[in-house]
Amino acid sequence: MIYYQTIKDLSNALQSGSLMPSGLMAAFIKRTKETEPALHSFICYDEADAMKQAEAADLRWKSGKNLSPYDGIPIGIKDIISVRNQPMTCGSRMLENYISPYDATVITKLRAAGMVIWGRLNMDEFAMGSSTETSAFGTTQNPWNLEYVPGGSSGGSAAAVAAGQACVALGTDTGGSIRQPAAFCGIVGLKPTYGRVSRYGVTAFASSLDQVGPIGRSVEDVAAVLSIIGGRDSHDSTSVDVPVEDYVHASTREKPWRVGILSEFMEGDGLDGDVSAAIQRVVQFYESQGCPIQPVSLPKVNAGLAAYYIIATAEAFSNLARFDGIRYGHRSKAATDVASVYAKSRAEGFGEEVKRRIILGAFVLSGGFHDAYYTRAQKVRSLIRSEYMRALDDVDIILSPATPTAAFHETEKCEDPLSMYLSDVYTVTVNMAGLPAISIPCGFDRNHMPIGAQLIGRPFGEGDLLAAAQFYEKYHDFHRQHPPL
Ligand code: GLN
């Protein structure tokens, strides 16, 4: 099936002339139309615009002026990333009628490589959630079993890639939103180092944690996209001027990776037995290949989730202040004066989870509580980072499960925010430390739902991280299995 081919296969076919971008785009549109009623991965898509981009790529290939080996390959975009003249809702009623006036830097870079910008993928409202159920525009189903959630907040991106509606997609990850849905949908998701990818044109959730990254069906595919989108951008002062490697090439490096097993995440109440067993098999694989394995203990990660929900809500409280019915967003028709424009517009525009975060953020920053919560959480954050950095002196890669369980049933955790938050317990500390991490498919649980392994690397060590992941992938075929859809 053409829609399940990797970027590399598609690129080879484009180069040989056996495939044209418009034919490829037509195949993805057809696949999307067939599967979208069951999945609802997209908030919307503009078929004509995608075909127009693909036809322009046809002409470039025909004249031998392709912009890159990936010219004409479609990439799905999470609905939090600005694409000029397209709607951007961030999964919220607040932005229901918003049209982006400019391209995010990542979009500019993808266009420069000729990639076709394809659709607006569903997500939890303002990226707050772990199941895509907080989207104001309906839930997305997991392609492996429609009764299960695809994860979140980049659930639409993960479901679309897993189901062959797009070759690759962009997501964002503040506490796990690329890795957790990739794990739940049986595909690969990479959260780059904080500062590796520009966030200009990406709606901010928690600015000290947010990062854009690729979701794909193979390690090589996410490597290819990272090479395109990475790099310093003068529009985003948090992006860092570290050279962007050719990550596709880097991912073929082989060496006896020293692998640390993150002890705190290999035990404990919440960890499902099938997930634990699958990760043990990943450990055995690296060991059997001659990789030195050692346990690493990072005791402070146990305080990570609590600290994350203080820092992330504090930053969200501040970032979301701009959605007030005046500067941005929905304006209430019932408002009668300035104060009621703010109050009513925000009451009507935001969903329940977003309101919960705003209230929590206001609380942890308020006079008298600031030191007790916010300042302490920042201290925990720097301890966590130090622990990771010390561990990464002795090992090249730290391994853990990506999530404590495989995908859960829809509505199962909707009434219980804490249990929803716990599904990111293994991913959030990586954002707090600013490190790169990848989730790769490594098995299935008793319900035949996919399981993900998380590999964590050194700052700007994406090359080694991808290589260690690709080394595993080369000897396994989980990434070649597709949902029965
Ligand atoms: N699920 C986590 C949260 O709700 C992480 C979200 C994210 O990474 N955007 O905050």
Side-chain angles (χ1 to χ4, degrees):
M1 256 87 68
I2 192 166
Y3 51 78
Y4 275 140
Q5 291 191 8
T6 64
I7 286 194
K8 187 193 195 165
D9 296 333
L10 293 175
S11 175
N12 288 341
L14 289 165
Q15 279 171 66
S16 73
S18 64
L19 178 70
M20 273 292 152
S22 56
L24 180 60
M25 194 61 237
F28 279 112
I29 291 173
K30 180 162 178 281
R31 174 69 176 166
T32 299
K33 287 188 167 161
E34 281 163 7
T35 49
E36 191 55 8
L39 286 180
H40 189 49
S41 319
F42 290 82
I43 288 182
C44 65
Y45 55 82
D46 183 340
E47 207 180 308
D49 174 69
M51 278 312 284
K52 212 169 104 193
Q53 295 177 62
E55 281 158 10
D58 284 359
L59 297 178
R60 292 193 293 268
W61 279 105
K62 278 185 193 145
S63 58
K65 292 199 181 104
N66 55 300
L67 297 170
S68 79
Y70 314 123
D71 198 341
I73 295 178
I75 179 165
I77 308 295
K78 185 179 182 179
D79 199 31
I80 197 169
I81 301 173
S82 304
V83 173
R84 190 175 141 81
N85 292 335
Q86 298 240 334
M88 175 171 70
T89 69
C90 299
S92 182
R93 292 266 168 240
M94 188 51 106
L95 289 175
E96 195 162 7
N97 299 310
Y98 180 81
I99 304 287
S100 299
Y102 64 95
D103 278 340
T105 297
V106 287
I107 300 297
T108 306
K109 290 187 173 209
L110 291 169
R111 289 197 201 279
M115 291 189 79
V116 173
I117 308 303
W118 168 227
R120 309 291 309 163
L121 292 162
N122 199 13
M123 56 181 281
D124 282 297
E125 185 174 6
F126 286 105
M128 298 171 188
S130 309
S131 64
T132 314
E133 291 168 299
T134 72
S135 169
F137 304 103
T139 58
T140 294
Q141 316 308 122
N142 189 311
W144 289 90
N145 183 330
L146 301 175
E147 289 172 11
Y148 289 75
V149 302
S153 63
S154 312
S157 301
V161 170
Q165 298 177 324
C167 181
V168 281
L170 290 186
T172 58
D173 191 314
T174 304
S177 280
I178 288 174
R179 290 158 287 159
Q180 187 257 20
F184 278 14
C185 292
I187 53 177
V188 180
L190 173 72
K191 183 205 88 75
T193 310
Y194 185 77
R196 173 73 299 177
V197 178
S198 165
R199 296 170 308 149
Y200 178 70
V202 182
T203 309
F205 162 9
S207 309
S208 76
L209 301 162
D210 298 342
Q211 195 55 202
V212 180
I215 294 178
R217 286 186 299 266
S218 73
V219 172
E220 185 175 341
D221 284 4
V222 301
V225 175
L226 182 66
S227 302
I228 298 170
I229 63 173
R232 161 86 185 144
D233 172 18
S234 59
H235 292 308
D236 176 0
S237 60
T238 66
S239 64
V240 179
D241 194 9
V242 173
V244 181
E245 275 182 80
D246 173 348
Y247 293 110
V248 171
H249 181 68
S251 67
T252 60
R253 280 202 288 265
E254 282 192 19
K255 65 179 195 199
W257 310 102
R258 293 171 301 165
V259 181
I261 315 300
L262 212 169
S263 310
E264 280 74 12
F265 291 171
M266 295 299 286
E267 54 211 30
D269 295 345
L271 180 59
D272 178 81
D274 293 350
V275 174
S276 164
I279 303 302
Q280 291 300 345
R281 287 192 291 275
V282 179
V283 174
Q284 282 155 15
F285 164 77
Y286 282 108
E287 199 163 28
S288 71
Q289 297 295 319
C291 297
I293 308 284
Q294 65 179 81
V296 300
S297 173
L298 312 177
K300 292 294 182 294
V301 297
N302 289 325
L305 196 72
Y308 168 83
Y309 274 95
I310 291 171
I311 294 168
T313 56
E315 294 184 16
F317 163 69
S318 148
N319 276 325
L320 270 52
R322 61 174 67 96
F323 303 103
D324 57 8
I326 294 175
R327 283 174 293 174
Y328 286 97
H330 167 79
R331 181 177 298 180
S332 172
K333 293 199 171 52
T336 49
D337 55 13
V338 175
S340 68
V341 169
Y342 290 148
K344 288 193 194 306
S345 302
R346 287 167 69 84
E348 292 169 12
F350 289 137
E352 204 179 311
E353 181 61 25
V354 174
K355 286 178 188 162
R356 182 181 292 122
R357 306 277 181 119
I358 292 173
I359 293 167
L360 260 171
F363 176 75
V364 300
L365 290 173
S366 58
F369 294 111
H370 187 284
D371 285 350
Y373 293 108
Y374 186 70
T375 311
R376 270 176 87 190
Q378 292 291 14
K379 286 183 183 155
V380 170
R381 180 177 188 169
S382 51
L383 291 172
I384 288 175
R385 180 168 166 93
S386 315
E387 283 189 352
Y388 269 113
M389 292 309 287
R390 222 172 301 130
L392 288 163
D393 281 341
D394 296 332
V395 297
D396 301 305
I397 296 294
I398 296 176
L399 171 68
S400 82
T403 57
T405 66
F408 43 90
H409 259 108
E410 52 179 357
T411 70
E412 187 180 318
K413 297 188 196 268
C414 286
E415 301 306 320
D416 183 0
L418 193 59
S419 80
M420 188 72 91
Y421 297 174
L422 280 166
S423 66
D424 297 300
V425 66
Y426 302 148
T427 48
V428 293
T429 56
V430 174
N431 300 70
M432 294 171 79
L435 303 172
I438 191 167
S439 175
I440 52 173
C442 70
F444 292 90
D445 78 348
R446 56 199 158 294
N447 302 317
H448 202 68
M449 296 308 283
I451 295 172
Q454 171 173 246
L455 305 182
I456 306 165
R458 300 198 182 95
F460 299 98
E462 280 86 353
D464 280 353
L465 180 64
L466 289 159
Q470 182 143 299
F471 184 57
Y472 175 87
E473 192 184 77
K474 201 169 123 183
Y475 293 95
H476 296 84
D477 78 339
F478 298 114
H479 67 293
R480 276 190 289 272
Q481 298 187 33
H482 304 301
L485 198 72

